[in-house]
């Protein structure tokens, strides 16, 4: 079970996201979230390959490069989604600034000695914090534009809530991952390796909980439409 959580729960969680978008798409309400549907299909494929690579050891380089690609996809696709979703020039400028900051950092990192040897916990911390800010700006927008329509019927609300679960928790995990990595990089004994693996398992659990939240919301919206 532990091996499944650490190696394969991540692509399973991403597949749950795909299912949530597919259910929402079945109602013809896909236009504003089409870009994220494509993103989650790409991410599910990428992370499934990464998990298989780790488990079977197809390449000596590991799966670090796949997470580099995943970070780029996450920054651009989710950033673009919130750029379209949020109103106001200030919010849009904040999104562009944060996307640019991450991409510049990611490019710079490729030319450092660290390169692709280690998981980019700093970059993922920056990315998680950025998306958490997008989510809080979205909730601020909701509070400023309250309507009589139930918020539970809004797919964007469920999606933002799932991101709140994953990216806020993920930020704490990635910061901890960086701290522990810098502490044990010279020794890296088996118990230390197991600790980092367990921390990554917790990350996968958070991703799964976020995906489950979105899938639940998508099913709820479907149920409410059928019952009307």
């Amino acid at each position: 079970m532990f091996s499944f959580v650490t190696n394969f729960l991540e692509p399973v969680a991403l597949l749950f996201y795909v299912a949530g978008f597919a259910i929402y798409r079945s109602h013809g309400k896909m236009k504003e979230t089409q870009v994220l549907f494509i993103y989650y299909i790409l991410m599910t494929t990428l992370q499934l390959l990464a998990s298989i690579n780790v488990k079977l050891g197809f390449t000596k380089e590991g799966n670090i490069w796949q997470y580099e690609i995943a970070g780029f996809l996450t920054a651009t696709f989710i950033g673009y989604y919130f750029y379209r979703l949020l109103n106001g020039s200030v919010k849009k400028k904040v999104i562009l600034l944060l996307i640019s900051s991450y991409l510049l950092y990611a490019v710079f990192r490729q030319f450092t000695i660290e390169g692709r040897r280690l998981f980019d916990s700093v970059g993922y911390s920056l990315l998680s914090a950025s998306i958490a800010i997008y989510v809080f700006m979205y909730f601020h927008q909701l509070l400023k534009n309250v309507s009589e329509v139930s918020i539970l019927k809004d797919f964007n609300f469920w999606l933002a809530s799932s991101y709140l679960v994953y990216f806020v928790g993920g930020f704490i995990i990635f910061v901890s991952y960086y701290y522990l990595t810098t502490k044990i990089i010279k020794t890296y004994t088996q118990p230390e390796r197991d600790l980092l693996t367990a921390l990554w398992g917790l990350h996968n659990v958070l991703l799964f909980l976020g995906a489950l939240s979105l899938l639940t919301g998508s099913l709820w919206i479907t149920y409410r439409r059928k019952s009307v």
Side-chain angles (χ1 to χ4, degrees):
M1 184 63 179
F2 180 74
S3 178
F4 172 79
V5 170
T6 56
N7 290 311
F8 290 102
L9 186 59
E10 186 172 12
V12 169
L14 291 169
L15 189 60
F16 270 44
Y17 269 109
V18 172
F21 278 95
I23 292 171
Y24 184 63
R25 187 182 187 182
S26 66
H27 298 288
K29 301 289 186 178
M30 201 63 200
K31 184 177 180 180
E32 71 275 21
T33 55
Q34 180 70 35
V35 64
L36 287 184
F37 185 55
I38 296 171
Y39 162 74
Y40 280 109
I41 291 175
L42 292 174
M43 285 290 289
T44 302
T45 304
L46 183 66
Q47 298 303 349
L48 181 59
L49 292 174
S51 298
I52 293 173
N53 182 30
V54 168
K55 193 66 177 177
L56 301 181
F58 286 145
T59 61
K60 295 180 180 180
E61 292 79 10
N63 64 350
I64 297 300
W65 66 273
Q66 288 160 308
Y67 280 97
E68 300 281 354
I69 295 174
F72 173 80
L73 292 176
T74 300
T76 53
F77 277 81
I78 294 184
Y80 176 76
Y81 161 74
F82 276 103
Y83 184 85
R84 294 290 302 275
L85 179 64
L86 297 178
N87 301 321
S89 61
V90 174
K91 289 184 173 68
K92 292 182 182 295
K93 288 178 181 177
V94 169
I95 292 173
L96 291 176
L97 175 63
L98 292 175
I99 293 175
S100 301
S101 298
Y102 171 78
L103 294 180
L104 287 173
Y105 162 81
V107 171
F108 173 77
R109 181 179 182 273
Q110 295 306 307
F111 295 95
T112 66
I113 191 171
E114 186 177 73
R116 290 179 176 174
R117 283 193 312 113
L118 300 174
F119 172 72
D120 186 13
S121 49
V122 173
Y124 269 78
S125 298
L126 176 62
L127 188 57
S128 297
S130 297
I131 296 174
I133 291 172
Y134 304 161
V135 171
F136 287 125
M137 289 195 298
Y138 167 72
F139 285 132
H140 175 262
Q141 180 171 292
L142 283 183
L143 291 174
K144 288 187 64 177
N145 300 278
V146 179
S147 67
E148 296 181 357
V149 179
S150 173
I151 199 172
L152 297 179
K153 295 181 179 180
D154 188 347
F155 183 82
N156 292 316
F157 168 76
W158 289 98
L159 182 60
S161 297
S162 77
Y163 285 168
L164 187 65
V165 171
Y166 171 61
F167 285 107
V168 172
F171 172 76
I172 297 172
I173 288 175
F174 293 134
V175 169
S176 302
Y177 202 93
Y178 174 76
Y179 173 78
L180 291 173
T181 301
T182 55
K183 281 286 188 181
I184 67 178
I185 190 62
K186 293 182 179 180
T187 54
Y188 206 43
T189 62
Q190 188 59 47
E192 292 169 340
R193 186 189 297 266
D194 292 341
L195 176 60
L196 289 179
T197 301
L199 190 61
W200 191 257
L202 179 59
H203 156 271
N204 292 346
V205 169
L206 283 177
L207 180 62
F208 180 76
L209 290 176
L212 190 62
S213 172
L214 178 73
L215 183 58
T216 300
S218 189
L219 291 171
W220 170 257
I221 293 172
T222 300
Y223 168 76
R224 293 300 299 173
R225 282 175 178 161
K226 289 182 178 179
S227 63
V228 174

